[in-house]
Amino acid sequence: MNSNRFGTLSPMPVRTRFAPSPTGFLHIGGARTALYNWLYAKKHGGEFVLRVEDTDAARSTDESQSIILDGLRWLGLEWDEGPEAGGDHGPYYQSQRGEIYERYFEKLKEKDLVYEDNGAVRFRVPDKEIVVDDQICGQVTVNLKETGSTRWDAEAKKEVEANPDIVIRRPDGSFIFHFVNVVDDIEMGITHVIRGEDHLSNTPKHIALYEAFGADLPTFAHIPLNLNKDGSKMSKRDQGALIHEYIENGFLPEAVNNYMALIGWSSGGDRELYFSLDEILADFDLSGVNASNSKFDYDKCKWMNAEHIKALPADKFKEVSSSFIEKAGIDPTDARVPASLELARERSETLADIAKIITPIFTDELAYDQPSVDKVTGKDGISTVVTALADHLEKNSEWKGDAIKASIQAAADSLGQKMGAFMLPCRVAATGSTAGADLVPMLELIGQKRVVERIRNFGTTFLS
RNA sequence: GACCCGUUCGUCUAGCGGUCUAGGACUCCGCCCUUUCACGGCGGCAACACGGGUUCGAGUCCCGUACGGGUCGCCA
């Protein structure tokens, strides 16, 4: 086992871990914990371990595990050891580590630190002050014997007598989280335990276990929690809570990492944008992690994604948007795609927005936005305006930006009106909405014949 | 309820005793750019939870109160 933990002259290699339970989705809080662990390990030339805590057989599922692993990979948080990666400290599923747990359980038995209670097994907690020396929260002192001697009965709303000794094994022989978590961290040589602050109060129990096993303590760092905007706990139902939704909604992993890193951590300066994990890595330090909880702001996350989209090189931009434009029914190999993407880029917060903006370029089956249509058709003389637009655009002999603009101008001149009054009707007739990318380049990409058809069609559909 | 952690603009934060009439970012508002919509530029609104100390001097250190969060499972 970990002989390198003792008597070595060189500093112990840093090993961090992320230990999800495959009972649900990859949550933004969990992903951020994984990110901090990954960053810390990489920052110190160490290793990042993934361990699946599937001791709850009834609730653990393969689907859940796939979602969590896929999410981590999407974010770029590759693990050095763990499921599908292997390593010298496996197995990396708790459900397969029974023999190891038995061995550690025997150690406690030999020291007479466990006893049976109603079929379950309890671990005797020491009657002394245990100090958690936390990298973020400072020194936290707790006496388990004292604090555990009473319990809050939520239903009766009163304190009741309790056994401070913690249950580590169920009557069916399976082991409890606190026990397996500590055993695995010892066995896997984890040097730094970075996890959510909800575990801070559990840490004295873990320390008692480390001491009972005669193992060295890892360094603990409890990071503050992310809450909803209203201060409540984030749950799966909340916007922005689930990593797979970021994937589906057209976020870039770099942007999500950027946002997660900055909620609860700061390099100390004003820097807001980090375009890669490497950039974050250069600045990351546990000392920059805040001690207070933070509230999740989806708007800022979207803004950050928009900034990342703007900064993307053209080829990479095309690559990451392809699945979204395909989903919108656009052929990604269409020659007009690159130019279309650039038109949409500056006004998109997500890749899904991109597809939405450029769709009118590629399909003639426009989804006319009713308020937009009403805004245009409500004007006096709109029929003649639309007809003039179609006539002049049809006569255009050079379908290029300035020439198209000149045609619109000519249409306006023919009725003695200003060009500005013609832009909106033209936009709605040709694209279906008052909102969208620059009109003239859009018309150019749609093509002369189809633009004229759409405008005439608009006239017959809405103005007759 | 007990124990633990926390508290700077609505939100994310900078600030580690004097440089703070508290800086940046998101949101919101206004102006400019633009013959659409955005982007961009400029500007504006907006915070040191409260009360005591310590100190020549406190957003920064200490104590208390209030508020928020967490833990108190044979869940992880």
Side-chain angles (χ1 to χ4, degrees):
Chain A
M1 44 182 282
N2 313 307
S3 55
N4 62 330
R5 287 177 62 80
F6 307 99
T8 51
L9 291 173
S10 56
M12 248 193 300
V14 167
R15 287 171 64 81
T16 64
R17 48 70 165 176
F18 178 55
S21 176
T23 55
F25 300 106
L26 179 57
H27 197 268
I28 186 121
R32 190 187 58 149
T33 302
L35 172 65
Y36 285 17
N37 274 285
W38 185 93
L39 287 167
Y40 192 84
K42 298 300 159 191
K43 183 79 182 182
H44 295 88
E47 269 142 9
F48 173 58
V49 179
L50 181 65
R51 177 175 76 228
V52 178
E53 305 216 332
D54 57 350
T55 52
D56 187 342
R59 292 199 303 141
S60 298
T61 68
D62 290 345
E63 293 92 315
S64 169
Q65 186 185 311
S66 298
I67 288 170
I68 291 168
L69 266 51
D70 288 350
L72 291 172
R73 288 203 184 94
W74 181 73
L75 289 166
L77 305 177
E78 299 285 343
W79 48 100
D80 301 296
E81 289 178 27
E84 296 168 29
D88 298 334
H89 305 260
Y92 294 93
Y93 293 89
Q94 288 187 330
S95 56
Q96 297 169 16
R97 310 188 110 244
E99 286 173 30
I100 297 165
Y101 302 142
E102 291 293 349
R103 207 166 74 231
Y104 273 76
F105 184 65
E106 283 304 314
K107 288 190 190 187
L108 297 182
K109 246 166 125 177
E110 281 163 22
K111 293 184 180 177
D112 192 30
L113 288 170
V114 293
Y115 62 92
E116 209 181 298
D117 178 17
N118 276 325
V121 180
R122 287 183 186 269
F123 164 67
R124 294 183 210 281
V125 298
D127 183 9
K128 65 166 192 178
E129 294 200 324
I130 293 176
V131 181
V132 182
D133 195 3
D134 193 272
Q135 293 293 293
I136 294 162
C137 304
Q139 294 200 332
V140 178
T141 307
V142 172
N143 184 322
L144 292 172
K145 200 88 176 175
E146 282 173 12
T147 58
S149 66
T150 57
R151 206 188 78 225
W152 178 245
D153 187 324
E155 280 179 22
K157 287 193 175 177
K158 63 173 185 181
E159 296 268 319
V160 295
E161 289 278 309
N163 186 343
D165 295 333
I166 58 176
V167 172
I168 58 169
R169 191 167 203 179
R170 302 184 186 91
D172 68 3
S174 61
F175 292 98
I176 301 291
F177 162 73
H178 299 108
F179 177 86
V180 293
N181 189 267
V182 168
V183 169
D184 287 343
D185 283 345
I186 293 170
E187 276 287 301
M188 293 183 177
I190 302 304
T191 59
H192 296 257
V193 172
I194 302 168
R195 65 203 342 178
E197 204 192 87
D198 47 342
H199 284 298
L200 183 58
S201 297
N202 286 149
T203 306
K205 294 174 190 168
H206 298 176
I207 289 178
L209 250 9
Y210 272 95
E211 290 178 347
F213 292 128
D216 290 346
L217 252 35
T219 300
F220 289 102
H222 287 88
I223 62 181
L225 272 19
N226 286 161
L227 309 171
N228 282 317
K229 263 206 141 157
D230 64 2
S232 62
K233 230 176 156 173
M234 275 191 97
S235 74
K236 328 174 183 343
R237 316 226 77 199
D238 296 311
Q239 188 175 49
L242 272 19
I243 295 302
H244 73 266
E245 289 182 353
Y246 287 89
I247 304 176
E248 289 158 13
N249 293 337
F251 281 78
L252 300 172
E254 293 83 2
V256 177
N257 281 328
N258 191 166
Y259 185 72
M260 291 195 300
L262 252 34
I263 181 165
W265 169 78
S266 164
S267 65
D270 289 337
R271 170 111 90 138
E272 299 271 356
L273 264 13
Y274 290 87
F275 292 105
S276 67
L277 282 172
D278 281 345
E279 287 184 24
I280 301 173
L281 204 47
D283 277 7
F284 188 78
D285 193 328
L286 234 35
S287 67
V289 177
N290 280 301
S292 52
N293 291 346
S294 49
K295 291 171 188 169
F296 185 83
D297 186 347
Y298 198 65
D299 282 338
K300 187 153 188 176
C301 188
K302 280 195 295 191
W303 166 79
M304 213 166 254
N305 199 53
E307 293 299 311
H308 279 252
I309 288 176
K310 280 176 203 153
L312 235 34
D315 55 341
K316 177 88 178 156
F317 181 38
K318 183 163 186 265
E319 184 190 321
V320 297
S321 358
S322 71
S323 68
F324 288 88
I325 63 175
E326 256 181 286
K327 214 184 298 171
I330 299 166
D331 174 8
T333 63
D334 190 307
R336 296 171 297 171
V337 164
S340 302
L341 288 176
E342 292 307 326
L343 269 186
R345 178 177 209 147
E346 282 196 333
R347 60 202 77 215
S348 299
E349 285 183 321
T350 65
L351 298 175
D353 289 345
I354 305 256
K356 200 172 161 194
I357 289 170
I358 69 173
T359 294
I361 294 174
F362 299 90
T363 178
D364 290 323
E365 282 160 37
L366 297 180
Y368 284 100
D369 173 58
Q370 197 55 46
S372 297
V373 171
D374 292 344
K375 200 169 171 185
V376 166
T377 55
K379 293 257 169 64
D380 286 341
I382 185 65
S383 288
T384 50
V385 167
V386 168
T387 306
L389 273 169
D391 290 348
H392 283 83
L393 287 168
E394 192 165 34
K395 276 188 280 181
N396 184 301
S397 58
E398 186 199 10
W399 197 252
K400 281 248 160 60
D402 286 344
I404 295 169
K405 208 169 188 175
S407 296
I408 298 172
Q409 179 74 61
D413 288 347
S414 73
L415 296 178
Q417 291 191 40
K418 283 185 185 165
M419 184 182 173
F422 276 53
M423 294 296 273
L424 208 60
C426 185
R427 170 183 284 282
V428 174
T431 73
S433 168
T434 54
D438 268 342
L439 180 58
V440 172
M442 284 272 283
L443 296 179
E444 187 176 337
L445 285 164
I446 292 167
Q448 184 171 20
K449 185 164 166 269
R450 298 166 75 210
V451 166
V452 172
E453 268 172 22
R454 288 184 192 185
I455 293 174
R456 293 211 192 283
N457 188 38
F458 179 82
T460 55
T461 307
F462 297 104
L463 299 170
S464 49

